[in-house]
Amino acid sequence: MKQIQQAPAAQREQTGAQWKHRCDKDNAFSKNLPHRQGKVYRLLLDGVPRSAADITIALHLSDPRSAIRDLRKRGIPIADEWCESVYGGRFKRYFIHSDNSRKEVCDE
């Protein structure tokens, strides 16, 4: 009979455990995010609309939509817009407005 082995525990900074909002003047806010979410957040901060495929290519992530979903749950105002593709399909572009970039961090 084979004995079941347990997988090693995930690192705390990658699981997002005990994450809290911080009001820092520098960009320490994104350093407290889990790894995937922090990468997506820093990329979207410039306000340029990007599709999920664009984010995948830029950050080498397999599917950034779950990171975007989790960032929205944390209160980060990620906007999206539907776009028509050349071949008749639709896709979304995600971005953070430059005037909203720090609203989730500081209640000023």
Side-chain angles (χ1 to χ4, degrees), residues 20-43:
K20 296 179 182 177
H21 286 286
R22 291 183 54 181
C23 183
D24 293 346
K25 298 302 178 192
D26 58 25
N27 204 7
F29 170 73
S30 65
K31 293 178 183 175
N32 289 327
L33 292 170
H35 181 70
R36 288 175 51 95
Q37 292 176 24
K39 287 176 76 171
V40 172
Y41 176 75
R42 286 188 293 275
L43 181 69

